[in-house]
Amino acid sequence: MAQPPYGRPPGGPYPSPPQFQGAPPLRRRRSGLAGWLIAAGLAGVLVVALGIVAGGLLVGHAGPPLMSPSAQRTLDAGADGTKLGTVDRPGYHDISEGIADPAPLAERGSHAPMRYGDTLVIPACALLTLTDLKKHGLLLVPNPLGSAYRRSVFDGQGRGAVEKGSQLFFPVTSLNSCQYLIEAAGHVEIEVFQEEYTSPSAMVYEFKRYDSLPAIAGVSIRRKANGVGTATSYLRYGLRLGKTAVRLTMKLPPGADTGRLERAMLVTVAGHLRRASLSPTGTPTVTYDSPLLTSEPASPCAAFRAEDFHAHFGRPPAPFVEEIFGSAVGRTDFSSGGTGIADATEYAYTYTECKRFTGEDAVDRHTLTMAITSYTADAAAEHAMVIGRQVEAGKPLKKALAADAYCVTRRYARATGALAVRQGRFLVIFSMTDPDRPQDGVDPGEKCESMRGLAERVASRLKG
């Protein structure tokens, strides 16, 4: 789970977003002493992530970069170079001082579709993109620690079984989905189901309880609505074209133009579904476009492969992975909050996460997660490691890794048994769950030692 980096975000914690009024103009907010105290507590909680990176380039990896050239303006940068400016983004005006760029995410289309069995996968994220959301006046919640943009995608690596659901219901966990948290207090999720990885009868039964709507572009539409006309509208739609079904869920905040958004979103998704069925595409590549990111963020799913999971657990992972992308560039100052660190420089950072797991049982899964906080300077990662080792009672491994590392033995931001490693400007956290060995029954040090090989294999692929 994403956590704030060690060091206080200047001006307070990440606030609850303001009330939604169409496409919301957000005014810049400065927090007082109470907010600072809360931030110091929360921010001290967190982020050290396993860094096995120095410079951010993978040896032998041909995956796409996570950074795009930026043409955005930066405001209010300090003259001495120790303070970060704030990037001016349309629609964002009321943001916490802990956020330096509220909307750095961008996408590039992919023309290389993924195949699962005999089926070309239609990616959920290609049916409703970041560009589509902006076009309809929906802005992502600015959160550098993830959760605002989360997706599940087929990546062509895992060879394990999948849970296809029952005869009546879809799988508990979506294999092919994209989730967005929307300003303010809104939520949009799109899930794609194809017969190769979903029970065909569930694809029929699921939508029998929905009301029929007129078809769009030859795509059948059904709707199940809750709360329409109240403070919060919760709407769920079923779209069907051939052997592909789509479930679109929207939670619209107060003030949203429900009628307009309903029609606009359905037209967008139906149109993309029609085109993707005729000419399948790949999952869009997520990149960061911000002048504050002078160095490229790390891509955990590029470094952490299916073969690593198999080597660790002795079983293949599912053919899909879960990814999280921080939706903002954060700023943090490690000298505040009684840390004892004299460096008052404000550092930019982003957060990305990759989770691989077995897929045949949605409840008792073996999981491995690699979470990376990417800073733009080595010093920031060093500071975070120092504070993390203190608050999480970090203990060394029996045999030291080449990179700086410790085992979490005190539950604070994370469960005990997580392995934190730093090299260069990256902090990475490895964590795992094993249903055969419940958390309470395993010594934290033993769990960390079991991930030593995983850390060493990933480290060998990263340019040092």
Side-chain angles (χ1 to χ4, degrees):
M1 179 178 178
Q3 299 288 346
Y6 292 116
R8 178 179 65 88
Y14 308 113
S16 298
Q19 292 300 305
F20 183 93
Q21 298 294 334
L26 306 177
R27 293 177 302 281
R28 186 171 176 78
R29 171 163 52 215
R30 296 181 181 274
S31 301
L33 178 61
W36 181 90
L37 292 174
I38 295 172
L42 292 177
V45 184
L46 182 246
V47 131
V48 190
L50 195 149
I52 313 187
V53 182
L57 300 179
L58 301 178
V59 175
H61 173 63
L66 280 190
M67 191 166 70
S68 301
S70 178
Q72 299 297 324
R73 292 191 302 138
T74 305
L75 307 178
D76 306 325
D80 61 357
T82 63
K83 303 302 178 185
L84 289 177
T86 299
V87 178
D88 186 21
R89 299 281 184 176
Y92 290 94
H93 304 292
D94 186 2
I95 58 176
S96 164
E97 289 186 10
I99 296 172
D101 186 344
L105 289 184
E107 289 174 322
R108 291 200 305 267
S110 171
H111 300 290
M114 194 64 61
R115 184 179 293 276
Y116 179 71
D118 295 328
T119 298
L120 289 174
V121 175
I122 296 178
C125 298
L127 301 187
L128 187 62
T129 66
L130 290 173
T131 299
D132 295 327
L133 294 176
K134 292 177 184 177
K135 180 178 67 176
H136 298 312
L138 299 176
L139 302 177
L140 285 187
V141 171
N143 184 350
L145 302 171
S147 78
Y149 185 6
R150 180 189 302 262
R151 67 185 192 177
S152 179
V153 301
F154 283 84
D155 73 341
Q157 293 190 34
R159 296 292 182 266
V162 299
E163 182 207 3
K164 295 187 175 184
S166 68
Q167 294 298 308
L168 301 179
F169 301 106
F170 285 149
V172 174
T173 301
S174 295
L175 285 64
N176 183 1
S177 66
C178 212
Q179 302 177 47
Y180 306 101
L181 296 185
I182 305 298
E183 289 279 10
H187 173 86
V188 175
E189 180 177 10
I190 183 167
E191 305 162 272
V192 173
F193 306 92
Q194 296 172 272
E195 291 187 357
E196 189 73 30
Y197 54 86
T198 310
S199 167
S201 61
M203 293 169 64
V204 174
Y205 181 80
E206 173 71 22
F207 299 129
K208 278 187 174 181
R209 297 164 292 170
Y210 291 33
D211 300 323
S212 293
L213 295 177
I216 298 175
V219 177
S220 64
I221 311 289
R222 288 176 173 267
R223 180 180 68 174
K224 182 180 181 181
N226 295 302
V228 176
T230 60
T232 299
S233 297
Y234 180 83
L235 306 108
R236 176 166 284 177
Y237 307 88
L239 295 83
R240 185 69 187 259
L241 181 63
K243 295 183 178 181
T244 302
V246 176
R247 184 165 62 187
L248 174 65
T249 304
M250 294 194 297
K251 176 189 174 186
L252 302 179
D257 187 345
T258 303
R260 178 188 67 82
L261 282 174
E262 176 185 49
R263 176 67 183 177
M265 297 282 275
L266 289 174
V267 168
T268 294
V269 174
H272 287 330
L273 177 57
R274 166 65 65 181
R275 285 186 289 274
S277 296
L278 297 174
S279 181
T281 61
T283 300
T285 297
V286 176
T287 63
Y288 284 88
D289 175 8
S290 175
L292 301 179
L293 295 179
T294 54
S295 302
E296 184 181 335
S299 176
C301 280
F304 173 31
R305 304 171 183 171
E307 63 195 51
D308 302 314
F309 183 98
H310 200 159
H312 184 81
F313 284 121
R315 61 188 72 201
F320 60 100
V321 298
E322 290 184 1
E323 296 180 296
I324 294 177
F325 299 91
S327 59
V329 175
R331 63 156 61 86
T332 187
D333 171 7
F334 292 94
S335 67
S336 299
T339 64
I341 294 175
D343 183 2
T345 302
E346 291 181 357
Y347 293 101
Y349 68 91
T350 59
Y351 177 93
T352 49
E353 182 178 309
C354 178
K355 180 184 291 185
R356 296 189 184 275
F357 36 73
T358 49
E360 70 276 9
D361 187 334
V363 178
D364 292 326
R365 280 180 167 167
H366 292 75
T367 69
L368 273 173
T369 302
M370 181 181 187
I372 303 181
T373 302
S374 300
Y375 293 98
T376 52
D378 291 7
E382 292 174 5
H383 297 332
M385 198 70 169
V386 168
I387 300 172
R389 185 176 273 110
Q390 294 173 352
V391 299
E392 296 182 314
K395 303 297 183 184
L397 298 178
K398 293 178 180 178
K399 181 180 179 182
L401 294 175
D404 187 15
Y406 70 80
C407 178
V408 176
T409 65
R410 177 192 298 148
R411 187 179 183 91
Y412 192 57
R414 288 175 292 270
T416 57
L419 176 61
V421 181
R422 183 200 74 82
Q423 183 172 331
R425 59 187 177 85
F426 297 93
L427 289 168
V428 185
I429 295 296
F430 281 130
S431 58
M432 60 175 280
T433 59
D434 184 345
D436 298 329
R437 307 175 72 192
Q439 174 71 22
D440 294 340
V442 180
D443 177 75
E446 181 182 346
K447 183 175 287 190
C448 290
E449 292 292 342
S450 75
M451 292 187 284
R452 169 191 295 277
L454 173 68
E456 290 176 340
R457 279 191 300 275
V458 174
S460 70
R461 302 190 192 110
L462 300 170
K463 187 175 181 179

